Amino acid sequence: MDYDIFNGDADGICALHQLRLAEPRPDAELVTGVKRDIKLLSRLEGVSSSRLTVFDISMQSNLPHLENLLAADNSITYIDHHFSGDIPENDNLTSHIDPNPAVCTSLIVSKLLEHRYGLWAVAGAYGDNLHDSASQLGHQLELDNEQLDQLRRLGELLNYNGYGADLDDLHFHPADLYRSVHSFTSPFDFIDTSQDLAKLSRGYDNDMERAMAVTSLDTQGPHRVYRFPNESWARRVAGVYSNLRAREKQSLAHALIGENSDGSLRISVRAPLNDRKNADTLCLEFPSGGGRAAAAGINNLPLEMEGQFINRFQESFPNPTDIEP
């Protein structure tokens, strides 16, 4: 039995799509969820003697389940760009891990395939807010500015679909969106003809219109903090909104605080784009926090810790005048 386990965002979808164009496994069972549902290996309890390919979820967060699956004689290929911790030494594990903040899983897969389907990696990198890396590969593939803009929009739309408290917030289940994407070898054909992408585009534009009306909180410190209500549109647009604000002022860190239905807070953090570090260490200080150096989050912050988080957020990043351009 084959299993493809992937993050439900643009990077996870585009990484899986590239590899399955090169190495088809049409009968593989898809295991995915909303972007923040990262402990996906926990769903595979009891699986044995199977082939598993894992994309764009932290090995460190899944380590106990990974070790159990290896002990059950599963052959596992693990491709990711998050901090992994200590990688198990096991003949059944092949890992391609690169935590460089300028790299995403789609770019790792593209390199493994010698950029055979690199157009999808460009879209995945744009979706992961790695605009410089995406543009660099795009120029290597001889794309013009109009084509780059099309792939940027595609990546942002695929990423937009992955955000939500649960699957009900999303326009498409990520597995269904992957299947829609996987019908196309060329991303430009997908852009030109997909009705699913057209639906995403309409939803994105409507949600972003609401989001852009939100102003930053008045906090002590130079870095920007925003707060969104407990509404589906706010959860859907959280990632792309955070990425957009980060690109606006690249010397600043950004935090987006959203409300969960249980009264806790959901937080997205973006480190300054010209100094991509400390987002993960900040979020790991708080319950349910995690991520990578450039972008991290907290799933369920107790409401009474909001002020503590904002103070630590401002303290965790250099003042803009101290960041080299």
Side-chain angles (χ1 to χ4, degrees), residues 36 267-271 279-281 283-284 290-298:
R36 291 206 176 191
I267 297 176
S268 295
V269 175
R270 298 293 184 270
D280 53 348
T281 54
C283 291
L284 285 167
R292 51 193 174 88
I298 303 169

Side-chain angles (χ1 to χ4, degrees), residues 143-211:
L143 299 178
D144 60 32
N145 288 337
E146 181 180 355
Q147 291 171 314
L148 289 175
D149 283 343
Q150 287 180 292
L151 294 180
R152 175 191 54 77
R153 174 78 171 183
L154 171 60
E156 290 173 352
L157 291 175
L158 294 177
N159 212 49
Y160 158 74
N161 185 74
Y163 279 85
D166 52 42
L167 293 170
D168 289 339
D169 282 336
L170 310 187
H171 292 287
F172 298 98
H173 191 295
D176 293 333
L177 187 57
Y178 163 72
R179 293 185 185 99
S180 179
V181 165
H182 198 57
S183 301
F184 296 84
T185 301
S186 167
F188 296 114
D189 291 340
F190 180 67
I191 291 166
D192 288 341
T193 63
S194 171
Q195 292 303 306
D196 291 342
L197 190 65
K199 178 180 177 179
L200 275 182
S201 184
R202 291 190 296 271
Y204 173 89
D205 289 340
N206 290 335
D207 288 350
M208 282 299 289
E209 183 177 0
R210 290 183 172 188

Side-chain angles (χ1 to χ4, degrees), residues 208-277:
M208 282 299 289
E209 183 177 0
R210 290 183 172 188
M212 295 306 292
V214 176
T215 58
S216 59
L217 300 181
D218 184 13
T219 62
Q220 296 295 318
H223 303 290
R224 297 196 291 183
V225 181
Y226 297 86
R227 208 176 199 282
F228 275 7
N230 179 26
E231 297 185 23
S232 293
W233 71 263
R235 293 188 290 270
R236 283 194 299 266
V237 84
V240 290
Y241 177 84
S242 297
N243 291 343
L244 184 149
R245 290 300 193 191
R247 293 195 302 275
E248 282 181 344
K249 293 186 179 292
Q250 301 195 14
S251 64
L252 299 185
H254 292 79
L256 175 59
I257 301 174
E259 301 173 7
N260 292 321
S261 56
D262 63 0
S264 65
L265 302 175
R266 182 182 60 261
I267 297 176
S268 295
V269 175
R270 298 293 184 270
L273 288 182
N274 57 3
D275 192 39
R276 297 172 183 261
K277 58 187 179 185

Side-chain angles (χ1 to χ4, degrees), residues 55-73:
F55 304 85
D56 197 35
I57 58 172
S58 164
M59 181 181 287
Q60 184 184 43
S61 298
N62 287 273
L63 186 58
H65 304 292
L66 174 62
E67 291 174 334
N68 290 340
L69 288 165
L70 289 169
D73 196 36

